[in-house]
Amino acid sequence: MDILQTDIKYITGLGPKWRTLFMEDMNISTFDDLLQLYPYKYVDRSRIFQIRDISTDMSYIQLCGRFVTLQTVGAGPQQRLSAIFTDGTGQIEVVWFKGLAYVQNQINYTDEFMLFGKPSSFGGRLNIVHPELERADRVSISAGTIQPMYNTSERMKKAGLNSKAIQKLMNQMFNVQMQATVNETLPYRLLSEYHLVNRSTALRSIHFPKDQKELEKASFRMKFEELFFVQLGILRNRNVNRHKQVGIKFSESGQLLADFYKKYIPFEPTNAQKRVVHEIWRDLQSGHQMNRLVQGDVGSGKTLVALMAMLIAVGNNLQACMMAPTEILATQHYEGLSAFVKDMPIRVELLTGSTKKKERLLNDLREGKIDILVGTHALIEDSVVFARLGLAIIDEQHRFGVQQRAKLWKKGIVPPHILVMTATPIPRTLAMTVYGDLDVSVIDELPPGRKPVRTEHYFHYKRNALNAFLRQQLLLGRQIYVVYPLIDESESLDYKNLSEGYEYMKEAFKEYNVCMVHGKMKPDEKEAAMQSFIKGESHIMVATTVIEVGVNVPNASVMIIESAERFGLSQLHQLRGRVGRGADQSFCILMTSEKLARETRQRMQIMVDTTDGFRIAEADLQLRGPGNIDGTQQSGLPFTLHIADLARDARLVQYTREIAEKVLSEDPLLQHPDNQCMAMRLNTLKASSINWSTIS
Ligand code: ADP
Ligand code: MG
């Protein structure tokens, strides 16, 4: 029996009431859980400051000296205890608002005291409010050390279960009852190769650090461990599945791809496109089913990559399909792909909800007369049967769930290879962790000659100047998007803003056609409005964010985002991607109110400064943390992180990923005796994790 699995009720001093609080508010029930309650910060009590050196921008500090005056001042709720404290280098006021009698009893003028608190100022004078107070000759375990601070809930604090109480329990459990018999979870060779302190030492140092250096080593070790096991879990799981999942093995890339590359390709692929096609090709040869995610910013040329992959399949005498989330997108893909291969002996067809002569098309598909089928969700209906499906491509992955992907698998005897394409720029480190079941390729380069969209941040009062600019663009024959946030579909206020914006634009630009698109419209009305904009019949489109991901109107050169402060960075970037698709200089205008929080101002500035989707995604991750990135959730992780942080520790995510890959390349199922400790730890983590089933 692992001592770490002991119930916390066996900790001396931890009664049933606290135990319930621990369980209910922090999901802590075992020694192991409690050890993983890591301090959220530390205060350095190894150092004693001098009063003459302190200032209000300092965090918690420790002083040593004597009281020289002590008096009660004010009355009623204003009543307080005010003292002057000196250490020979200066003096400072110390104030208490509560527990006056208790404090008064403790203080005398003869003894030396240790004060511990955060300096502030009142009426221009330095003071410390409610410091911790101890007689210098009776200082507790925490003085002279680095003191950990633990987060607790309000309920816990009320029940006396505060940071200090947890520190005591931790001491009782770890130093008295357990005496540090903590099992190692990493094999010795890894500890030594990557300079990691052992687990027992690390845990001791985290909860009872002696100095800053020891603390750093310890927290590195525990962060490493957490992220490493996340990666190990994901990768091993994939190994287990992969060994089962046979895929169609392609022995050659085929004549079609060769012909396309020699004769028909309209432009030289970028290096990134070449690299990604190569990664796909490697998968297709492997004999295992491909499950690959291709990430590429809007305009990075994912369609060409998709086409080249499909040409490999068709060249191997198999069929391919490509699924898009909406009819408009499917149609655009169909047209784009058909244009690429118009002189090649390939049959491309389109299948959507409104396809006519569906029976004949489905028949031809079943008989293998269609090589590439492009379509919407209609593709996964049961009536759609392929003769020999070899590759399925899904565009804009965040709109399709894992289950829909699984449905595509069933369309062949051997499951087809799956390629998922997304323009949501998720930092690589995060992507490979969140999309545990997918390999990730990144098209991190735009085709040459693109003019980056010029972005400006406007306050509302500059609307007249903006209108003058819009008029110029309209005179040049360009089209304009105006987007309003719609955070909550049922939010009537948002709709009010939208329709007011629509009326305003109609009024301000009388001589032009303005259309409106939003989620509450009937599908055919929405379709009609979209089409009028695509065809250039309307000049200004006022819309909520329903304007289609990936929709391509090269003539649209201005994107106005209203109340831009209400959008996240990734969303702003996606919206901006609607323009900048033609030869003209394009513009993105971020409209906000003048009163902005600092973080919002930073967000706007990042948009103005860069058009690089990955830089924006990194910044988003830094500003908001991984739980908030569009389309991803930290809950996508197999295990909860307690000490590591995907945003702050992004490098370590990458590092541990590589190490986990190496470990598993030598021992894919962790069966070697040396690796038993890791297999066991994975099982423990898996058993205690609620989210495991949601991944892959
Ligand atoms: P997305 O990644 O957003 O789907 P597309 O595949 O629609 O991007 O490509 C955007 C545009 O760039 C298209 O007009 C496409 O023809 C063009 N394009 C793609 N690859 C290249 C390239 N290597 N050189 C020049 N233009 C390219
Ligand atoms: Mg696209």
Side-chain angles (χ1 to χ4, degrees):
M1 169 78 182
D2 184 354
I3 189 162
L4 289 184
Q5 297 313 313
T6 313
D7 194 304
I8 52 171
K9 73 179 175 199
Y10 293 107
I11 299 174
T12 312
L14 197 153
K17 193 172 167 205
W18 281 8
R19 179 172 182 269
T20 309
L21 286 170
F22 265 128
M23 303 249 294
E24 286 179 0
D25 290 9
M26 305 197 112
N27 203 21
I28 288 173
S29 61
T30 63
F31 280 21
D32 195 21
D33 297 335
L34 187 58
L35 276 175
Q36 289 185 71
L37 173 62
Y38 296 112
Y40 70 97
K41 70 170 185 186
Y42 295 87
V43 287
D44 192 346
R45 299 198 64 174
S46 63
R47 196 172 152 194
I48 294 171
F49 284 81
Q50 301 201 311
I51 292 177
R52 68 162 170 239
D53 295 331
I54 65 181
S55 60
T56 52
D57 55 1
M58 288 176 149
S59 163
Y60 287 81
I61 54 158
Q62 186 166 236
L63 299 171
C64 184
R66 288 188 164 78
F67 287 96
V68 288
T69 67
L70 180 68
Q71 56 185 336
T72 310
V73 293
Q78 290 295 314
Q79 195 178 53
R80 61 194 187 273
L81 200 59
S82 166
I84 299 294
F85 186 78
T86 178
D87 65 355
T89 73
Q91 55 181 39
I92 188 167
E93 188 194 13
V94 185
V95 184
W96 286 268
F97 293 96
K98 285 184 293 191
L100 307 193
Y102 174 76
V103 176
Q104 215 158 4
N105 272 338
Q106 281 198 303
I107 292 177
N108 61 51
Y109 294 143
T110 45
D111 287 317
E112 211 173 25
F113 284 88
M114 302 282 276
L115 277 193
F116 182 71
K118 192 183 168 345
S120 52
S121 86
F122 184 77
R125 271 206 306 176
L126 269 183
N127 69 7
I128 296 188
V129 180
H130 277 271
E132 276 180 38
L133 179 66
E134 272 168 338
R135 253 174 57 188
D137 56 346
R138 292 190 199 156
V139 288
S140 63
I141 39 166
S142 49
T145 63
I146 297 174
Q147 189 180 346
M149 304 290 274
Y150 297 94
N151 255 328
T152 59
S153 69
E154 283 309 312
R155 285 209 304 171
M156 293 168 86
K157 281 195 193 84
K158 279 212 184 89
L161 191 45
N162 54 19
S163 179
K164 235 181 164 158
I166 290 180
Q167 216 186 322
K168 279 194 191 134
L169 292 174
M170 208 61 96
N171 184 50
Q172 173 65 24
M173 169 180 74
F174 197 80
N175 295 328
V176 181
Q177 291 176 238
M178 277 171 51
Q179 297 176 342
T181 44
V182 176
N183 283 343
E184 187 48 74
T185 54
L186 297 170
Y188 180 73
R189 66 170 203 285
L190 290 188
L191 296 186
S192 123
E193 189 170 349
Y194 300 106
H195 308 284
L196 301 167
V197 294
N198 71 54
R199 191 159 203 267
S200 204
T201 306
L203 285 170
R204 170 185 303 282
S205 305
I206 279 184
H207 294 292
F208 315 95
K210 271 212 294 289
D211 56 46
Q212 208 60 43
K213 212 169 143 200
E214 192 188 277
L215 182 58
E216 268 160 35
K217 276 189 183 162
S219 86
F220 180 79
R221 146 79 208 218
M222 296 315 293
K223 284 180 181 181
F224 179 101
E225 168 173 333
E226 258 185 19
L227 294 172
F228 175 76
F229 277 107
V230 164
Q231 302 295 353
L232 201 68
I234 289 168
L235 292 169
R236 189 189 60 169
N237 205 35
R238 209 164 59 170
N239 279 353
V240 171
N241 291 337
R242 191 165 290 179
H243 282 275
K244 282 190 234 140
Q245 205 58 70
V246 178
I248 307 159
K249 189 178 166 106
F250 292 1
S251 49
E252 51 166 325
S253 57
Q255 194 57 43
L256 279 178
L257 181 66
D259 284 350
F260 177 71
Y261 208 93
K262 256 186 268 150
K263 294 188 222 153
Y264 304 110
I265 192 168
F267 30 67
E268 176 74 7
T270 62
N271 286 329
Q273 284 171 320
K274 287 184 198 165
R275 190 188 65 241
V276 172
V277 170
H278 201 82
E279 284 165 1
I280 293 168
W281 169 228
R282 232 176 28 212
D283 289 351
L284 297 178
Q285 290 169 288
S286 73
H288 298 300
Q289 186 201 24
M290 170 171 77
N291 271 293
R292 185 169 286 278
L293 175 76
V294 173
Q295 278 194 306
D297 216 340
V298 275
S300 61
K302 292 185 290 296
T303 317
L304 181 67
V305 169
L307 175 65
M308 286 166 57
M310 291 196 284
L311 289 176
I312 297 177
V314 177
N316 277 273
N317 208 22
L318 293 162
Q319 292 166 298
C321 69
M322 183 160 172
M323 187 158 79
T326 68
E327 184 147 355
I328 291 171
L329 274 178
T331 309
Q332 284 194 346
H333 274 317
Y334 168 72
E335 285 165 359
L337 292 173
S338 302
F340 271 129
V341 301
K342 65 181 189 300
D343 297 320
M344 299 180 73
I346 292 179
R347 184 166 162 203
V348 184
E349 293 288 349
L350 176 67
L351 177 69
T352 69
S354 53
T355 298
K356 313 233 160 52
K357 295 189 186 144
K358 206 163 160 183
E359 281 316 307
R360 236 182 60 206
L361 192 142
L362 289 179
N363 243 335
D364 287 357
L365 186 70
R366 206 173 305 127
E367 286 170 14
K369 291 178 186 158
I370 295 171
D371 301 301
I372 293 175
L373 183 64
V374 183
T376 54
H377 281 86
L379 291 188
I380 54 178
E381 280 165 19
D382 290 338
S383 58
V384 179
V385 181
F386 292 82
R388 34 175 209 287
L389 181 62
L391 170 67
I393 298 181
I394 303 170
D395 195 17
E396 301 302 351
Q397 92 92 220
H398 53 282
R399 302 217 184 168
F400 292 98
V402 173
Q403 277 167 7
Q404 281 159 320
R405 256 189 277 150
K407 260 194 140 171
L408 273 172
W409 290 21
K410 301 202 179 91
K411 295 212 171 278
I413 302 158
V414 179
H417 296 290
I418 304 275
L419 191 66
V420 179
M421 301 199 299
T422 178
T424 310
I426 299 162
R428 199 190 185 96
T429 47
L430 191 55
M432 64 192 191
T433 306
V434 174
Y435 297 115
D437 59 335
L438 298 172
D439 292 303
V440 179
S441 290
V442 185
I443 310 182
D444 50 6
E445 184 185 350
L446 290 181
R450 285 282 161 78
K451 284 203 194 86
V453 179
R454 245 170 59 198
T455 303
E456 285 179 42
H457 175 196
Y458 272 47
F459 293 122
H460 286 310
Y461 65 78
K462 277 178 79 177
R463 195 163 296 269
N464 285 338
L466 175 63
N467 283 352
F469 166 74
L470 295 182
R471 201 164 294 281
Q472 265 177 17
Q473 289 290 307
L474 288 164
L475 279 172
L476 290 169
R478 309 283 135 71
Q479 288 165 281
I480 296 167
Y481 294 101
V482 186
V483 178
Y484 282 83
L486 185 66
I487 307 305
D488 181 355
E489 281 286 335
S490 62
E491 196 61 80
S492 49
L493 189 68
D494 284 346
Y495 277 107
K496 190 162 161 273
N497 289 342
L498 175 77
S499 50
E500 277 173 10
Y502 173 59
E503 295 303 329
Y504 174 83
M505 290 307 273
K506 272 209 308 203
E507 188 58 35
F509 296 93
K510 278 206 180 78
E511 60 280 42
Y512 294 97
N513 293 332
V514 185
C515 66
M516 176 161 69
V517 178
H518 61 76
K520 279 192 179 165
M521 291 164 87
K522 294 203 190 82
D524 49 337
E525 283 171 11
K526 192 168 119 187
E527 181 75 19
M530 294 286 295
Q531 286 300 345
S532 80
F533 192 74
I534 290 172
K535 293 197 189 106
E537 292 158 9
S538 359
H539 309 98
I540 301 173
M541 176 152 101
V542 180
T544 59
T545 44
V546 297
I547 58 164
E548 306 297 341
V549 180
V551 84
N552 196 13
V553 184
N555 191 48
S557 66
V558 184
M559 163 66 63
I560 300 168
I561 305 176
E562 299 285 349
S563 305
E565 67 267 39
R566 292 178 61 191
F567 290 97
L569 269 177
S570 298
Q571 232 181 339
L572 290 173
H573 180 66
Q574 289 286 312
L575 287 170
R576 180 167 62 182
R578 306 297 123 236
V579 294
R581 300 182 159 222
D584 314 308
Q585 177 63 55
S586 292
F587 303 88
C588 174
I589 315 289
L590 308 170
M591 295 296 289
T592 71
S593 64
E594 289 105 76
K595 286 197 199 109
L596 291 181
R598 206 173 73 125
E599 196 224 276
T600 314
R601 211 175 280 271
Q602 280 176 329
R603 247 188 301 145
M604 299 304 127
Q605 195 56 41
I606 290 163
M607 289 299 294
V608 171
D609 289 346
T610 183
T611 53
D612 180 336
F614 286 94
R615 267 188 60 194
I616 289 170
E618 296 283 359
D620 207 19
L621 190 59
Q622 299 291 344
L623 284 175
R624 303 205 293 162
N628 296 315
I629 300 284
D630 294 338
T632 72
Q633 298 258 309
Q634 183 153 4
S635 64
L637 292 181
F639 318 122
T640 318
L641 298 179
H642 297 283
I643 190 168
D645 177 301
L646 288 180
R648 276 199 316 266
D649 303 317
R651 280 229 191 87
L652 198 54
V653 175
Q654 171 78 36
Y655 186 65
T656 52
R657 168 79 165 204
E658 284 160 16
I659 296 165
E661 273 168 359
K662 189 159 163 263
V663 166
L664 287 172
S665 73
E666 289 155 6
D667 182 9
L669 303 176
L670 297 179
Q671 288 161 328
H672 192 276
D674 271 0
N675 294 336
Q676 276 311 297
C677 55
M678 294 189 283
M680 274 167 60
R681 181 64 184 167
L682 267 188
N683 288 339
T684 312
L685 287 169
K686 216 162 132 177
S688 64
S689 118
I690 349 160
N691 293 323
W692 181 257
S693 57
T694 61
I695 210 157
S696 81

